[in-house]
Amino acid sequence: MLKHLYIKNFALIDILDIDLYPGFSVITGETGAGKSIILGAIGLLLGQRADLKTLKQGADKCVIEAQFDLSRYQMEDFFTENDIEYDAGDCIIRRELTSTGKSRAFINDTPVQLSMLKELGERLVDVHSQHQNLLLNKQDFQLSVLDIIANDAKELTDYQKTYDAFHQAAKDLQALKEEIERNRQNIDFLQFQHQELDSANLTVGEQEELEQKSETMTHAEDIKSALYTANNALQADNTGIVEQLRNALNALKGIGHVFPEAEELATRMNSTYIELKDIAQEVGSLMENIDFDPAELDHINERLDRLYDLQQKYHAEDTEGLIALRDQLKKQLDHIGNNDETLQERQQQVDLLKTQCQQKADLLTKLRTKAAKKVETEMQQRLVPLGMPHIRFQISIRQEDLSGNGQDKVAYLFSANTSTPLQPVSQVASGGEIARVMLALKAMISGAIKLPTIIFDEIDTGVSGKIAEKMAEIMYEMGSHERQVISITHLPQIAALGSAHYKVEKEETAQGTTSKMELLTADERITEIAQMLSGSKVTDAAIQNAKQLLRFAE
């Protein structure tokens, strides 16, 4: 439960530092006094987006902090999973907003993302405002209420996992069918492409080898002439470099025994002589093997032209690219050949998952149908005392195609009297009736889930008198079962039943208008309730009436 609230520099609030208590509490105050501002601050604590406009004018930073007692609500798993220090008796959540637009959130002094703050906030506080009555129009809300009462969270999660798998498998199957159809339309073209590439007998490195041969044969005469010149320089009789080097080597060797330096030079020259002799032999061999064959050159160029045409046609950079494309086309054609078998396997998988989904959806329907009877009975019991003696409330469950939440479409049907046929509650119920229906639903839900704090923001709109008293009794009862219920109200009948009574009011100061909230004493409560009864002028009769309401509440 919320045990302390601290707000600084938020909208019209300078500082609000106040304790809150278990059970049923009420907050009153004139319209525009600042009750919505306090709710806005709490909303930021629950993870709502921040707006710089909410920062008090002239302030550098806004701080909103709340302390919760979680000792009765088994929430340690959240803190363990998110690596946050856990203190069941004192959980502190804080939100800070600076004038530069920077927003920070903390749980027990640990900085957290806004999404995590929101996740925890949804488990700590439920703020029910008037616009939430519009939820009765939404099928998802109606179904979620039924699931809460059915206590089918485990079964619903199990179903959703299977449904997600089924949905993905069906999606994959459809994609495969579309691919098969496209391939079937293109199979002749694919076969032609593969045949053309396959018949080209492509080999890795062939293009480079042929290009080199073509270049050599094209310049055969130049090459042969250059080799002849080199060979003549190396091996010509008497004048060739090799012959002259050999003569020089022999001369040095001849004086080596009397001139040691010549021996060293001869050794060095010998290695050069051996290398040049080898080069001369290789040049001579190459010269003899160089030949120009026009027919072979034509054949080489024809093959290269074929490779170049294929590369241009198939947008490939080289022969290796053509080979990769050929192999890819082969795989596609093999895949098309195996499509029927693959399609059958995929269809069987989809059928199996659909059957499993259907079985789990049927279980959900069974649990929801049982819960619907319970909801109908309990809503009848709760709404009759709220001024609807002839109330009829029925839950229609109709099966539709499988979806993310099962196969059930839920509709809450309502009639306030015996002569009016049952129709969707959002279409026929008045504002006051919808407020009572929502209160009854909230009371029922709160019995099924342990939510620490529930705040009702003027849920009493459209009701008065005895009905207001009954609504107050329901909220009081909700607050007596390890739960904290806070009601923002304009009705004295509801205000009188609160165990704690807070008043929000504006105050004019030298610095401007501020809003504050204070816990009323017993005497202040009498005055406040009397004012709610009689208006701005508090009469003695209103004072007596207020005392009587408070005594009745006790």
Side-chain angles (χ1 to χ4, degrees):
M1 65 159 228
L2 176 60
K3 61 180 184 178
H4 191 84
L5 181 64
Y6 174 83
I7 303 173
K8 181 179 180 182
N9 295 332
F10 182 78
L12 296 179
I13 298 174
D14 286 332
I15 290 183
L16 188 151
D17 194 5
I18 199 161
D19 292 324
L20 294 109
Y21 301 94
F24 179 48
S25 300
V26 295
I27 299 175
T28 61
E30 295 180 3
T31 300
K35 300 185 293 296
S36 61
I37 294 174
I38 295 170
L39 280 181
I42 293 174
L44 285 182
L45 279 179
L46 303 182
Q48 292 180 6
R49 292 288 175 185
D51 186 347
L52 270 178
K53 295 178 182 178
T54 59
L55 188 68
K56 188 172 179 62
Q57 190 173 4
D60 293 327
K61 183 169 74 170
C62 161
V63 178
I64 306 166
E65 184 176 282
Q67 292 176 259
F68 289 86
D69 181 355
L70 309 181
S71 55
R72 298 180 178 180
Y73 300 102
Q74 293 81 48
M75 291 190 183
E76 187 172 1
D77 58 334
F78 172 86
F79 294 86
T80 302
E81 290 169 6
N82 293 291
D83 195 25
I84 298 174
E85 182 181 350
Y86 177 66
D87 183 345
D90 193 22
C91 171
I92 301 174
I93 61 176
R94 185 170 79 255
R95 187 83 181 272
E96 296 179 357
L97 177 65
T98 67
S99 57
T100 60
K102 186 176 181 180
S103 173
R104 298 195 300 170
F106 302 85
I107 300 175
N108 289 339
D109 286 330
T110 299
V112 298
Q113 296 291 329
L114 199 59
S115 57
M116 189 181 297
L117 187 70
K118 185 175 182 180
E119 182 182 350
L120 178 61
E122 288 174 349
R123 298 175 64 175
L124 293 175
V125 181
D126 174 30
V127 179
H128 181 95
S129 57
Q130 292 183 53
H131 77 270
Q132 271 199 315
N133 291 337
L134 298 176
L135 289 173
L136 276 177
N137 295 327
K138 299 185 180 297
Q139 199 264 339
D140 286 349
F141 171 75
Q142 297 179 4
L143 183 62
S144 67
V145 171
L146 205 55
D147 283 330
I148 290 171
I149 303 304
N151 193 26
D152 61 7
K154 181 178 178 297
E155 290 80 6
L156 180 58
T157 300
D158 188 30
Y159 166 82
Q160 287 172 335
K161 288 179 180 178
T162 305
Y163 177 79
D164 288 343
F166 160 66
H167 186 262
Q168 186 61 49
K171 186 178 178 181
D172 293 343
L173 176 62
Q174 183 59 33
L176 177 61
K177 288 179 178 179
E178 292 172 359
E179 180 187 353
I180 290 172
E181 182 59 30
R182 287 193 302 271
N183 288 339
R184 281 177 177 162
Q185 292 174 359
N186 297 329
I187 190 168
D188 291 341
F189 181 57
L190 294 174
Q191 286 174 335
F192 168 78
Q193 288 182 314
H194 178 263
Q195 177 62 29
E196 184 174 41
L197 292 172
D198 192 49
S199 62
N201 296 317
L202 304 166
T203 57
V204 175
E206 177 190 15
Q207 180 178 332
E208 291 78 4
E209 183 181 348
L210 290 174
E211 286 174 340
Q212 182 59 54
K213 283 185 178 180
S214 175
E215 189 74 12
T216 300
M217 294 185 73
T218 300
H219 298 87
E221 291 301 324
D222 295 335
I223 295 170
K224 198 162 187 175
S225 176
L227 289 173
Y228 176 80
T229 302
N231 183 66
N232 192 48
L234 289 167
Q235 300 191 81
D237 293 341
N238 299 321
T239 60
I241 295 173
V242 174
E243 178 68 17
Q244 292 188 38
L245 188 60
R246 185 173 64 81
N247 293 333
L249 179 61
N250 289 335
L252 290 173
K253 284 182 177 181
I255 61 173
H257 65 286
V258 294
F259 188 57
E261 287 85 347
E263 185 69 32
E264 182 181 348
L265 289 171
T267 301
R268 290 169 59 190
M269 189 179 290
N270 186 59
S271 62
T272 304
Y273 170 72
I274 293 171
E275 179 68 14
L276 275 175
K277 186 178 179 180
D278 184 63
I279 291 172
Q281 290 174 347
E282 190 168 343
V283 168
S285 176
L286 288 172
M287 185 177 66
E288 291 176 0
N289 292 329
I290 289 295
D291 196 13
F292 175 68
D293 184 348
E296 184 180 358
L297 180 59
D298 288 343
H299 176 73
I300 290 173
N301 287 334
E302 285 176 6
R303 178 61 176 169
L304 284 171
D305 288 342
R306 174 68 171 151
L307 294 177
Y308 294 152
D309 288 343
L310 289 173
Q311 288 169 22
Q312 184 176 11
K313 181 176 181 178
Y314 291 104
H315 306 288
E317 293 185 0
D318 48 33
T319 307
E320 283 72 16
L322 291 173
I323 292 172
L325 177 59
R326 178 199 66 193
D327 295 343
Q328 179 185 345
L329 289 168
K330 180 67 166 58
K331 287 181 180 179
Q332 280 185 268
L333 290 168
D334 290 343
H335 181 63
I336 293 173
N338 297 327
N339 273 337
D340 290 342
E341 182 180 345
T342 305
L343 192 63
Q344 184 178 4
E345 291 175 356
R346 295 280 184 89
Q347 185 65 61
Q348 288 174 347
Q349 181 187 16
V350 169
D351 292 343
L352 176 62
L353 287 169
K354 184 176 182 180
T355 299
Q356 294 174 349
C357 266
Q358 189 61 60
Q359 292 171 345
K360 293 175 181 182
D362 289 341
L363 175 58
L364 283 173
T365 299
K366 183 178 178 181
L367 294 173
R368 288 164 175 170
T369 301
K370 183 178 179 181
K373 298 300 179 185
K374 180 180 179 182
V375 172
E376 290 171 353
T377 301
E378 189 166 338
M379 288 294 287
Q380 189 91 7
Q381 294 171 348
R382 289 182 179 277
L383 289 172
V384 167
L386 290 175
M388 301 183 189
H390 304 297
I391 177 68
R392 285 182 294 155
F393 188 90
Q394 183 177 317
I395 298 178
S396 166
I397 302 178
R398 187 174 75 247
Q399 272 70 62
E400 295 191 335
D401 293 338
L402 294 171
S403 67
N405 289 319
Q407 62 185 346
D408 305 314
K409 183 173 183 179
V410 174
Y412 289 3
L413 305 179
F414 173 87
S415 175
N417 49 67
T418 55
S419 61
T420 304
L422 285 164
Q423 295 184 57
V425 61
S426 59
Q427 297 179 14
V428 296
S430 66
E433 288 169 340
I434 286 179
R436 283 174 273 177
V437 169
M438 284 300 291
L439 177 60
L441 284 172
K442 288 281 183 176
M444 185 172 54
I445 294 171
S446 68
I449 56 175
K450 285 191 172 183
L451 193 66
T453 301
I454 301 175
I455 300 174
F456 290 107
D457 180 18
E458 299 183 2
I459 195 174
D460 47 42
T461 300
V463 299
S464 59
K466 291 183 178 180
I467 305 303
E469 291 178 6
K470 293 296 183 182
M471 292 179 73
E473 289 172 7
I474 290 175
M475 288 185 277
Y476 182 87
E477 179 189 358
M478 290 171 65
S480 64
H481 296 289
E482 298 184 358
R483 192 175 295 104
Q484 179 185 47
V485 176
I486 301 171
S487 176
I488 297 174
T489 182
H490 288 293
L491 297 181
Q493 295 90 343
I494 293 178
L497 208 59
S499 301
H501 187 159
Y502 300 87
K503 182 176 182 179
V504 178
E505 58 184 342
K506 283 183 181 179
E507 185 178 37
E508 297 296 333
T509 68
Q511 290 73 36
T513 304
T514 62
S515 183
K516 63 178 183 178
M517 183 172 84
E518 294 181 341
L519 177 65
L520 299 182
T521 65
D523 288 340
E524 288 170 339
R525 285 193 73 182
I526 293 172
T527 303
E528 173 66 8
I529 293 173
Q531 192 169 12
M532 295 172 73
L533 286 165
S534 65
S536 57
K537 185 177 180 179
V538 178
T539 64
D540 290 340
I543 292 288
Q544 294 304 316
N545 196 359
K547 290 179 178 179
Q548 187 176 357
L549 280 174
L550 288 166
R551 280 197 297 270
F552 174 77
E554 293 174 359

